[in-house]
Amino acid sequence: MPSENNTAESLASGSFKLERYNKNIEDQLVEQWEKEQVYKFVDDGKKPVYVIDSPPPFTSGKLHMGHILSFTMFDIVARFKRMNGYNVLYAQGWDTQGFPTEVKVEKKYGRLPREQFVEKCHEWTEEYMEHMRWQAKHFGFSADWSREYVTLKPDYHKKVQLSLVEMYKKGDVYMAEHPVFWCPHCHSALAKAETEEIEREGTLWDLRFEIEGQPLIIATTRPELLHAVVAVAVHPNDERYKGLIGKTVTTPLGKEVPLLADEDVDMEFGTGAVMIATFGDKQDVVWMYRHKLPYIKAMDEHGRLINAGEFDGLKVAEAKQKVIEKLKAEGKVLGEKKLKQVVKIHDRCKKPVELLMSNQWFAKLLPYKEDIKKAAHEIRWHPDFGIHYLLDWVNTLEWDWVISRQRYFGTPLPFYVCPKCGHTEAVADDELPFYPEKAKGMKCPKCGADMKPEEAVADCWVDSSITPLVVAGWPDEGWEKYYPSDLRPQGIEIVRTWAFYTIYRGLRLTGEKPFKHVLLHGHVMGPDGKKMSKSLGNVVDPKDLLDKYSADAIRLWVAFSGTLERDRPFMYDQVKRMQNLVNKIWNASRFVQLVTEDYNGEDEPLTLTDKWILSRFYEVVNEYMKHMEEFNFYQAVTALTNFFWEEFCDNYLEFVKYRVYNDINKRSAQKVLRTVLEGVLRLYAPFAPFLSDYLYRAIYGKGTLHKGPLPTAGEIDASAVTYGKVLKESAEAIRRLKKKKGLSLKDELDSVELELPKEAEPFRQALEDELKKTVFVKAISWSLLTSKE
RNA sequence: GGGCCCGUAGUCGAGCGGCUAAGACGUUCCCCUUACAAGGGAAAGAUCCCAGGUUCGAAUCCUGGCGGGCCCACCA
């Protein structure tokens, strides 16, 4: 491919062959960076280390706009820090295991034996990951790919399992029978964080219970749970039922249960009497424990009723119908109305969730709520209100974390369970990574029976909640040096999961918070301002964008689309504008190269105009640095671009043309052109890594600019700033006048009257000379402004 | 019900106590000026959601509305 050669040649030789930006250079640079190992983390001990605990995206097939937005932001931080004097440890991982892949694989291959099934999941994931990795590189993400981690790999399993074994030994991980959220569709326990809520229309039936021969009407949406009713409850102050408390109620199915008083009962709802079934909802669980009620298992793992006599084996929806039919026939349904109700669903399969008593593995959270809050306060949150998301969540925690999932594609829990006495043991360290199908086995130390290897796998948040440790190299020697991470960037919506679990696990495993700063980002909405979704047809695919625009234009859009934490609509027009900026930078660079080709490094005193643009540049450097340190990319890139486009391109370049064309103070102009352009390219580098590196190599011929340094501000000459400001404003006024008189900009104007601020008076002559030569005017008369109005 | 965030030109959005309230898109007019028409030059367009208050001074702070969004809790 000849064009490829062309690009490669210009990369190598420092020449500038391309007239226009060509996407070809992106492929070239991806390759070049890899060859030169530009982003490899090397701790040479000479620079401070900056560790980024970047989110491992779920391997869903391809990166979506949300990934592009967030990873661009993270990458901007990484590149900025790298150029600004840090050895940056920026590892990219992949979150691979879990329901979504299982669902897809099952759909494609049907049900397979465990080992085969997991193998297919691996194949599937591997293919997806390859594509996503390619995308990440072509958006210029500067991770050190030699430190990549993948949660399905045995070495990762080993770390996760070791972390669980350690927590087990401390008593933080235990097995117990407890009500858990259960997805009958996926046949697995779920954590609270894996549930979502939807509103739907349900039916509320008034059913006839009886107490001492009198009817007692109870409203319920779940008649299919009548067989699991263990009590009826009323409010203690409810006049209607005073005197009946403690008596026996007969359910419509003929079962006898006690009538209880409990303050949680809402007197206003229905008839003020509520049936307690194990379990209709979480309130039932609370009541069961509070009143020491018996537990009746209402349904099995597949959501089919059990202990329900004639209704055994029916699924919930069907049972509901059948029960109502029967009760109607018996005249026990006294009312029926529609009711908007909120139902908990599994966030992955979107099917309703039930509560089930089940033997599961838990991680102890409740005793550590205060520790977690304390650690949260030691972390700096950007924006600062982000901490509320975490504190609110911790405050509402009521149960420990259910970490076991009855699935296959996940990290096996490293435990043995005695089938005889229920005793549990952790797998020995030398048996890690542990896979139940290859388990060595173990005798129960309590009763001597053969213990069974646990077959459940870990919740995927168990995998991802140790990333700061994994990135640091835990548990191998030296990991303490890179823990805690300096930065945890992540989405605001997973504070209650990823951030929370990571803080918890970090604290329990190391005694220290896992990261120093959290950077939260908002999301990309569709061009219509609504959440992107297939059904709305407003999904923007990064692939299409990358075909059409330079990666840098898309990255620049991210920085320009608003402040970090807020959601923003995606807008094609803005990306086009950024493509224009890319071209502007390209063309300005070409101009500089063209007019400085014969620059010989000779020194020459700077003119006022030169000092002006340099001083303004230094001011921008200061502003840029301040904003970047605060993760305020928008402000940084806006200041830079306003300077570059308006002052440098529209004015300075015009002001020096007569000098470089006519060899008047040419050396100083050349020197300043090269200095400012180089600085501008460096400042753009974190945002537009392809463009800036290509141009830098082409013009300055010194290899990559991505290793830094960033430009530093020099002396700001206040009088030159004043001079430049008046020069620029005068030039603009002259252009306006020409426009008014219908002249073109290169036509010479006979005379013009301009205002001269008092502080610029000493420069009257210089201004006049420069204006005459740069904006073509014969005579200037000044009116002196004595004070600022 | 509780908490948090947000209401700035047709659109997107900075600014968060003090200059004529950035910038971009879009609109209108002029110009192919030798880096760039993927450009340049100009113009129009904003009771900064409403009502009070604090202040010499408020888009910016406080209180109360109204409107939008997110999270949590409850929902028999």
Side-chain angles (χ1 to χ4, degrees), chain A residues 700-730:
Chain A
Y700 300 92
K702 289 189 282 191
T704 188
L705 53 51
H706 288 304
K707 290 182 172 177
L710 287 168
T712 47
E715 193 194 331
I716 293 165
D717 182 332
S719 60
V721 171
T722 303
Y723 174 85
K725 187 163 174 267
V726 178
L727 181 67
K728 178 168 169 276
E729 281 166 5
S730 303

Side-chain angles (χ1 to χ4, degrees), chain A residues 213-269:
Chain A
Q214 296 299 310
L216 173 65
I217 313 303
I218 290 181
T220 182
T221 55
R222 303 210 61 181
E224 75 277 17
L225 295 179
L226 273 173
H227 67 287
V229 169
V230 291
V232 170
V234 295
H235 195 278
N237 300 338
D238 196 328
E239 296 296 334
R240 290 169 289 184
Y241 305 109
K242 272 202 173 157
L244 294 174
I245 291 162
K247 309 237 156 125
T248 300
V249 179
T250 311
T251 74
L253 297 181
K255 203 181 145 191
E256 298 196 333
V257 297
L259 182 71
L260 308 170
D262 192 288
E263 297 201 331
D264 284 350
V265 178
D266 180 357
M267 287 194 272
E268 308 295 317
F269 193 94

Side-chain angles (χ1 to χ4, degrees), chain A residues 254-503:
Chain A
K255 203 181 145 191
E256 298 196 333
V257 297
L259 182 71
L260 308 170
D262 192 288
E263 297 201 331
D264 284 350
V265 178
D266 180 357
M267 287 194 272
E268 308 295 317
F269 193 94
T271 58
V274 55
M275 68 183 215
I276 301 175
T278 51
F279 300 107
D281 60 37
K282 216 180 79 193
Q283 184 67 57
D284 290 335
V285 177
V286 173
W287 279 329
M288 183 192 85
Y289 281 106
R290 190 181 292 164
H291 299 286
K292 300 190 169 57
L293 298 169
Y295 167 67
I296 295 174
K297 194 171 183 187
M299 65 186 75
D300 67 10
E301 288 70 18
H302 301 270
R304 295 178 202 280
L305 297 205
I306 52 175
N307 302 316
E310 60 188 291
F311 304 109
D312 269 3
L314 296 179
K315 288 211 168 187
V316 167
E318 213 181 342
K320 197 182 293 249
Q321 267 192 344
K322 290 269 159 66
V323 171
I324 285 296
E325 264 170 40
K326 178 180 160 145
L327 297 185
K328 272 185 178 165
E330 293 172 2
K332 289 178 181 164
V333 180
L334 303 176
E336 177 174 334
K337 63 175 178 193
K338 293 289 170 201
L339 176 78
K340 270 222 172 105
Q341 61 176 165
V342 175
V343 183
K344 267 201 188 337
I345 57 168
H346 182 195
D347 64 355
R348 299 297 193 184
C349 73
K350 310 290 179 195
K351 299 278 182 358
V353 165
E354 297 289 350
L355 277 156
L356 224 63
M357 193 66 94
S358 173
N359 229 358
Q360 299 290 343
W361 288 91
F362 293 86
K364 257 186 213 172
L365 294 177
L366 300 180
Y368 307 119
K369 284 165 84 161
E370 291 310 312
D371 292 346
I372 293 169
K373 286 197 269 184
K374 190 165 159 268
H377 283 289
E378 289 167 9
I379 294 166
R380 265 205 65 194
W381 296 74
H382 309 268
D384 53 7
F385 63 79
I387 193 174
H388 293 300
Y389 288 76
L390 188 98
L391 297 179
D392 289 351
W393 178 251
V394 175
N395 285 334
T396 58
L397 279 177
E398 292 170 350
W399 296 353
D400 285 337
W401 174 17
V402 193
I403 58 167
S404 45
R405 297 290 179 276
Q406 283 62 44
R407 302 298 298 179
Y408 306 109
F409 188 33
T411 306
L413 291 171
F415 303 109
Y416 285 100
V417 182
C418 178
K420 215 169 152 193
C421 71
H423 180 72
T424 56
E425 281 287 328
V427 167
D429 286 2
D430 62 11
E431 208 192 329
L432 301 180
F434 169 79
Y435 298 96
E437 62 275 14
K438 297 177 197 153
K440 284 184 192 161
M442 190 186 268
K443 291 270 184 226
C444 178
K446 281 267 171 72
C447 71
D450 281 329
M451 296 186 88
K452 275 184 64 182
E454 175 60 62
E455 295 206 339
V457 298
D459 174 9
C460 29
W461 294 113
V462 173
D463 294 345
S464 59
S465 54
I466 58 167
T467 55
L469 286 163
V470 171
V471 168
W474 181 88
D476 303 335
E477 204 180 321
W479 66 270
E480 291 94 339
K481 195 173 169 196
Y482 307 126
Y483 183 96
S485 296
D486 293 276
L487 184 69
R488 154 60 71 88
Q490 65 162 73
I492 210 157
E493 80 289 355
I494 51 172
V495 167
R496 68 194 174 111
T497 48
W498 196 36
F500 168 72
Y501 288 135
T502 310
I503 294 171

Side-chain angles (χ1 to χ4, degrees), chain A residues 480-731:
Chain A
E480 291 94 339
K481 195 173 169 196
Y482 307 126
Y483 183 96
S485 296
D486 293 276
L487 184 69
R488 154 60 71 88
Q490 65 162 73
I492 210 157
E493 80 289 355
I494 51 172
V495 167
R496 68 194 174 111
T497 48
W498 196 36
F500 168 72
Y501 288 135
T502 310
I503 294 171
Y504 161 65
R505 299 255 277 149
L507 281 178
R508 294 310 300 157
L509 289 164
T510 72
E512 199 184 347
K513 63 180 183 288
F515 32 77
K516 297 173 190 162
H517 293 260
V518 179
L519 185 62
L520 299 175
H521 62 80
H523 292 94
V524 194
M525 303 288 122
D528 55 2
K530 292 180 185 151
K531 207 168 174 175
M532 282 193 198
S533 79
K534 277 184 201 151
S535 58
L536 287 173
N538 62 351
V539 177
V540 176
D541 189 339
K543 184 185 169 297
D544 300 336
L545 290 180
L546 198 56
D547 286 345
K548 215 168 154 190
Y549 303 99
S550 66
D552 288 336
I554 303 164
R555 293 174 57 108
L556 284 162
W557 169 74
V558 169
F560 271 101
S561 64
T563 44
L564 201 58
E565 70 272 14
R566 69 182 284 163
D567 293 342
R568 73 224 54 214
F570 177 80
M571 295 206 287
Y572 285 98
D573 286 344
Q574 287 180 344
V575 179
K576 279 183 204 153
R577 172 69 189 172
M578 290 305 120
Q579 189 65 53
N580 292 353
L581 173 58
V582 165
N583 289 309
K584 190 74 182 175
I585 296 169
W586 185 273
N587 283 314
S589 302
R590 256 182 13 124
F591 173 77
V592 170
Q593 211 235 1
L594 199 71
V595 300
T596 63
E597 245 165 355
D598 62 345
Y599 177 59
N600 58 10
E602 247 173 57
D603 256 337
E604 187 180 65
L606 300 181
T607 69
L608 271 175
T609 312
D610 298 334
K611 288 183 189 162
W612 160 68
I613 201 70
L614 274 176
S615 298
R616 279 293 302 132
F617 176 66
Y618 296 147
E619 286 177 352
V620 168
V621 169
N622 287 334
E623 215 177 319
Y624 174 99
M625 295 303 283
K626 187 185 112 214
H627 292 312
M628 290 299 275
E629 293 289 355
E630 292 165 356
F631 307 111
N632 197 340
F633 312 134
Y634 178 90
Q635 294 290 330
V637 78
T638 300
L640 172 60
T641 301
N642 287 349
F643 164 78
F644 167 72
W645 206 313
E646 281 172 33
E647 295 180 89
F648 186 67
C649 292
D650 292 350
N651 286 286
Y652 185 74
L653 295 191
E654 297 304 324
F655 294 149
V656 298
K657 275 179 183 170
Y658 83 92
R659 289 164 55 188
V660 294
Y661 292 152
N662 302 312
D663 207 349
I664 302 164
N665 292 326
K666 182 176 171 184
R667 301 283 164 239
S668 64
Q670 286 178 321
K671 183 177 179 182
V672 171
L673 283 169
R674 286 178 67 89
T675 305
V676 176
L677 180 73
E678 181 180 344
V680 164
L681 290 177
R682 287 181 184 277
L683 296 182
Y684 270 120
F687 300 95
F690 293 103
L691 176 74
S692 57
D693 204 25
Y694 179 84
L695 294 171
Y696 179 78
R697 287 168 191 254
I699 297 170
Y700 300 92
K702 289 189 282 191
T704 188
L705 53 51
H706 288 304
K707 290 182 172 177
L710 287 168
T712 47
E715 193 194 331
I716 293 165
D717 182 332
S719 60
V721 171
T722 303
Y723 174 85
K725 187 163 174 267
V726 178
L727 181 67
K728 178 168 169 276
E729 281 166 5
S730 303

